[in-house]
Amino acid sequence: MKTILDVQDLSVSFDVYGGVVQAVRGVSFSVKEGEAVAIVGESGSGKSVTAQTIMRLIATPPGKINRGSIVFDGQDLLSLSEKEMQKVRGNKIGMIFQDPMTSLNPTMTVGKQIMEGLMKHQRLSRSAAKKRAIELLSMVGIPHAESRISQYPHHFSGGMRQRVVIAIALACNPALLIADEPTTALDVTIQAQILRLMKDLQQQTKTSIILITHDLGIVADMCDRVIVMYAGQIVETGTKREIFRNPQHPYTKGLLNSLPRLDQAKDEPLVPIYGTPPDLIKPPQGCGFCSRCDEAMRICETDVPEMTAISDTQTVRCWLQHVRARPTEMDSGKGASA
Amino acid sequence: MSEPFIEVRGLRKFFNVGNNRILKAVHDISFTIAKGETLGLVGESGCGKSTAGRTMIRLYEPTAGSVTLDGVDVTKLSKSKLKAYRRKMQMIFQDPYASLNPRLTVLDIIGEALDIHGLAGSRAERKRRVEQLLEMVGLNAEHASRFPHEFSGGQRQRIGITRALAVEPEFIVCDEPISALDVSIQAQIINLLIDLQKKMGFTYLFVAHDLSMVKYMSDRVAVMYLGKIVELASSENLYAHPQHPYTQALLSAIPVPDPDLEAQKERIVLSGDLPSPVNPPSGCPFRTRCHAATERCAQETPEFREVRPNHWASCHYA
């Protein structure tokens, strides 16, 4: 399969009152055609900044892209002018934001907001754009699309608004769809509707998806591959099965352990990750997770571990998995007594 | 089961939303909680679960019904008597960013609770007590002199918990105490709440929408829909044998963090949105979204009845 997006060594920082926040520190990953990739991590781990940088939605200043490249469809997005970027944004790359209450313009009808992209990017006439907008609204499951199109966002419920946002994002048949916590603001029963819709649409249109979330349940449902971020870095990547069945990074393991299993009894305590994430104004010198890691060693405090391949598809950034730290024959018994 | 410690009977809370329209946020709910028990209260936003919790400890004045705590009807208490009763019932709020006064130090936030109920004699005693409480929830004595903005979300929620603990309550309403926190921090707070319950014998009403956390936390779980309790059972039974179609849909909608289980799972996707509580459907409130709804559901309101031993549901067909 063709690689559609290739991010290399991306670093983004923000100038704030207290110093410079190193929000994204050397992130590299790629997305293939038709693939659904999840980026998981807690707030402040850099997952949303990564997504917004791909869309070039970071305000500079205070933001600053220090290093790296984002190659999309053969073009380095970081070298494009704002005008050239406008041809990509909303056209070849669509985006779904977290909060459907604030990501629509309250003073424009829903129809106008969908038609805007169609007329601008695809040069459709007003009437053709309107026809297509009605089609899109019915496609995302909004009944009576012909009349709903002339209503304003406040006429729609949260779940319906998110459907409108999805219709806008998909209007120009983007090759890549970035969904930043698309269901976090919604109730579980509505979330189930939206996730099913996104899954169906992906199968129909073969769009690649980057799904940003902190809900591991959604990842298990929606994605092929998982990227785990912590403190501005990627700490582990792998297929869905590898991440859930054979996690290698202590943070990934901790994240999975801190969720209650449905069969977990109350007297069996949850295993939390103690402590809090580091302050990225002064990012740790070594591994970002080392202050919360039970297995931290001296080297973890001083040196950032490299990405180590576990399999063809799984990589991890942890000294414990480094080639030189792997168990040898001596560890497995033969030389242990010596 | 032991004597009910808290008994809620026919509790109603209606809000007047103008134009002679009444929003029936809590519409005739009844349940009991035993001493030292945790009752989970789940449902979608707008179903009235937070209002129910707040009305129970009289942060809202109930429209009708009674709440009996330890033999005394809380809804009938006069203002002065209620203040003394508030020592017995406390609340932990959802948003640790909004529920702490940003202009007070932690010492004063927690100390205020002690002052109101006259629990601290001297200043030194007040300080010692606050420090003692902070250590109980995993913070340090030095934290007392700091302001809320100097803490992370998880730490702030610990301060909110400390404030509730300060007056040595017996009953605590936890209103979505973890939903504003990161996954890795949530488990810390849940473990703390369970730990405190074991040590101090608290009775909890645990209001949340995260169903797997509710199952883990609670002894029994009540499911609310449009201001009514539609199902109530022990947490094992509710999750293993949900009787009400709404509970079934709600449970099937939670994504499970396990790719194999997720692939096998049959998901009931509810169509449509929650109807407006200002103008709820006739008969069974859930019938507009229910796959099994019939004529009867539109005409008769289903009775809340015991469908299996200790398992209550309000559905004609359960």
Side-chain angles (χ1 to χ4, degrees):
Chain A
M1 259 185 301
K2 211 174 99 195
T3 298
I4 184 148
L5 179 78
D6 189 41
V7 176
Q8 285 302 327
D9 197 26
L10 184 68
S11 290
V12 184
S13 62
F14 291 89
D15 277 319
V16 295
Y17 178 71
V20 180
V21 180
Q22 308 286 338
V24 174
R25 307 186 291 144
V27 162
S28 306
F29 67 94
S30 60
V31 179
K32 293 200 175 69
E33 218 165 38
E35 193 182 32
V37 178
I39 302 182
V40 295
E42 46 202 295
S43 22
S45 62
K47 53 192 196 305
S48 289
V49 174
T50 305
Q52 287 172 10
T53 311
I54 296 171
M55 283 294 255
R56 292 268 305 274
L57 290 174
I58 297 290
T60 46
K64 195 172 163 217
I65 300 165
N66 299 313
R67 275 200 322 276
S69 66
I70 300 172
V71 178
F72 171 75
D73 212 7
Q75 245 181 339
D76 187 353
L77 298 183
L78 294 182
S79 67
L80 297 185
S81 67
E82 178 55 29
K83 206 164 181 188
E84 289 167 317
M85 193 60 212
Q86 279 176 2
K87 290 188 181 144
V88 177
R89 205 184 283 139
N91 187 21
K92 293 177 187 161
I93 307 180
M95 185 145 182
I96 302 171
F97 297 90
Q98 171 171 352
D99 188 353
M101 305 296 161
T102 53
S103 55
L104 291 171
N105 185 338
T107 68
M108 266 167 99
T109 62
V110 160
K112 255 200 176 142
Q113 296 186 55
I114 304 175
M115 284 156 62
E116 199 180 21
L118 291 166
M119 285 159 64
K120 195 156 188 153
H121 295 303
Q122 304 209 325
R123 307 241 162 257
L124 293 185
S125 68
R126 181 169 292 276
S127 58
K130 190 171 174 191
K131 216 174 128 213
R132 176 85 180 115
I134 293 173
E135 271 171 38
L136 283 162
L137 274 187
S138 346
M139 185 177 83
V140 296
I142 294 183
H144 316 300
E146 304 80 16
S147 54
R148 292 293 252 171
I149 195 164
S150 46
Q151 290 184 329
Y152 288 86
H154 70 264
H155 290 117
F156 291 76
S157 67
M160 284 294 170
R161 279 185 225 189
Q162 198 62 308
R163 286 172 193 264
V164 173
V165 174
I166 293 175
I168 295 174
L170 292 177
C172 299
N173 296 320
L176 175 67
L177 182 64
I178 301 176
D180 189 355
E181 308 249 10
T183 56
T184 307
L186 307 173
D187 277 312
V188 272
T189 59
I190 309 297
Q191 166 173 297
Q193 293 174 3
I194 297 292
L195 291 179
R196 171 168 289 186
L197 172 70
M198 284 178 59
K199 229 170 157 176
D200 288 350
L201 292 175
Q202 195 211 1
Q203 270 156 13
Q204 278 170 34
T205 57
K206 304 278 179 252
T207 307
S208 308
I209 292 186
I210 297 179
L211 178 73
I212 294 167
T213 180
H214 61 260
D215 187 332
L216 291 162
I218 296 180
V219 175
D221 181 23
M222 292 285 292
C223 294
D224 310 312
R225 223 148 50 77
V226 185
I227 293 170
V228 184
M229 283 190 75
Y230 189 81
Q233 293 179 321
I234 294 179
V235 295
E236 185 160 6
T237 67
T239 62
K240 175 164 72 181
R241 191 157 304 271
E242 284 166 336
I243 295 294
F244 282 95
R245 287 282 176 268
N246 187 25
Q248 294 297 323
H249 197 281
Y251 175 66
T252 318
K253 289 182 199 170
L255 213 51
L256 288 164
N257 281 337
S258 59
L259 300 169
R261 297 183 319 274
L262 272 173
D263 60 343
Q264 188 154 354
K266 197 175 172 183
D267 46 14
E268 195 184 330
L270 298 174
V271 189
I273 305 176
Y274 291 99
T276 45
D279 181 359
L280 292 180
I281 289 181
K282 282 185 247 99
Q285 191 191 345
C287 168
F289 188 59
C290 101
S291 63
R292 300 174 78 187
C293 183
D294 292 336
E295 298 167 84
M297 304 172 290
R298 210 179 315 150
I299 191 172
C300 305
E301 285 168 26
T302 54
D303 293 82
V304 179
E306 303 152 26
M307 270 299 199
T308 311
I310 301 290
S311 73
D312 288 347
T313 43
Q314 191 175 14
T315 56
V316 61
R317 189 188 290 281
C318 178
W319 284 118
L320 287 169
Q321 301 303 329
H322 194 261
V323 219
R324 282 157 66 197
R326 296 240 173 100
T328 60
E329 278 181 16
M330 276 176 68
D331 294 327
S332 58
K334 280 182 198 161
S337 55
Chain B
M1 194 174 291
S2 51
E3 277 289 281
F5 176 59
I6 294 164
E7 191 171 1
V8 176
R9 282 278 152 257
L11 189 69
R12 291 174 184 219
K13 176 66 198 174
F14 295 173
F15 294 98
N16 192 341
V17 287
N19 296 335
N20 286 326
R21 290 183 307 167
I22 305 287
L23 188 150
K24 295 174 180 168
V26 174
H27 195 186
D28 209 353
I29 62 170
S30 305
F31 55 86
T32 60
I33 313 178
K35 181 110 188 142
E37 191 189 25
T38 303
L39 179 75
L41 194 56
V42 298
E44 294 176 84
S45 36
C47 72
K49 55 189 192 303
S50 289
T51 307
R54 286 168 177 245
T55 312
M56 274 174 74
I57 61 171
R58 269 184 79 181
L59 285 182
Y60 293 146
E61 285 303 322
T63 308
S66 68
V67 178
T68 313
L69 186 123
D70 217 1
V72 177
D73 186 351
V74 180
T75 58
K76 301 255 173 359
L77 289 175
S78 69
K79 243 188 171 161
S80 54
K81 283 205 177 126
L82 179 65
K83 186 179 142 192
Y85 238 78
R86 283 255 161 82
R87 254 196 84 180
K88 292 195 173 189
M89 35 189 208
Q90 284 290 313
M91 180 146 180
I92 298 166
F93 294 91
Q94 171 170 7
D95 187 348
Y97 292 85
S99 60
L100 301 176
N101 186 336
R103 305 177 77 164
L104 293 185
T105 60
V106 169
L107 176 69
D108 287 330
I109 289 172
I110 299 164
E112 194 176 23
L114 298 173
D115 299 342
I116 287 172
H117 294 283
L119 298 177
S122 63
R123 284 185 74 83
E125 196 186 317
R126 178 177 184 253
K127 185 154 185 275
R128 212 187 55 236
R129 180 76 186 123
V130 169
E131 290 173 353
Q132 209 180 357
L133 285 161
L134 285 174
E135 272 161 20
M136 237 166 81
V137 300
L139 295 168
N140 304 326
E142 299 94 79
H143 287 142
S145 57
R146 298 198 197 162
F147 288 91
H149 73 262
E150 297 174 70
F151 294 91
S152 67
Q155 287 174 318
R156 281 186 220 206
Q157 199 54 295
R158 286 177 196 265
I159 297 168
I161 293 172
T162 315
R163 179 176 56 188
L165 293 184
V167 299
E168 296 160 25
E170 295 170 55
F171 172 54
I172 301 181
V173 175
C174 310
D175 187 6
E176 308 240 16
I178 55 166
S179 59
L181 305 175
D182 269 314
V183 182
S184 72
I185 311 293
Q186 287 183 355
Q188 293 179 10
I189 297 297
I190 291 292
N191 279 352
L192 174 65
L193 288 172
I194 293 178
D195 241 27
L196 290 169
Q197 185 175 40
K198 276 186 195 148
K199 279 190 208 138
M200 328 277 283
F202 293 143
T203 306
Y204 286 140
L205 179 76
F206 188 77
V207 179
H209 63 260
D210 180 338
L211 291 136
S212 46
M213 275 298 181
V214 171
K215 172 167 194 284
Y216 175 68
M217 259 307 272
S218 313
D219 302 300
R220 286 185 307 144
V221 177
V223 182
M224 278 187 81
Y225 188 80
L226 278 185
K228 294 193 170 184
I229 293 183
V230 296
E231 188 158 0
L232 176 65
S234 72
S235 54
E236 290 82 34
N237 268 332
L238 186 92
Y239 284 76
H241 313 287
Q243 298 294 315
H244 197 283
Y246 177 63
T247 315
Q248 290 164 0
L250 201 60
L251 287 175
S252 87
I254 334 170
V256 186
D258 183 316
D260 295 324
L261 287 179
E262 195 56 44
Q264 292 164 12
K265 193 158 132 182
E266 244 185 85
R267 181 156 288 162
I268 310 167
V269 176
L270 290 179
S271 53
D273 291 309
L274 202 69
S276 159
V278 175
N279 189 15
S282 65
C284 170
F286 183 59
R287 70 178 168 86
T288 52
R289 298 170 79 193
C290 182
H291 61 91
T294 61
E295 268 301 294
R296 186 178 169 204
C297 303
Q299 280 147 15
E300 277 175 61
T301 306
E303 194 191 336
F304 192 57
R305 62 198 167 88
E306 198 166 13
V307 289
R308 289 154 52 104
N310 288 321
H311 192 141
W312 297 68
S314 61
C315 176
H316 293 307
Y317 303 101

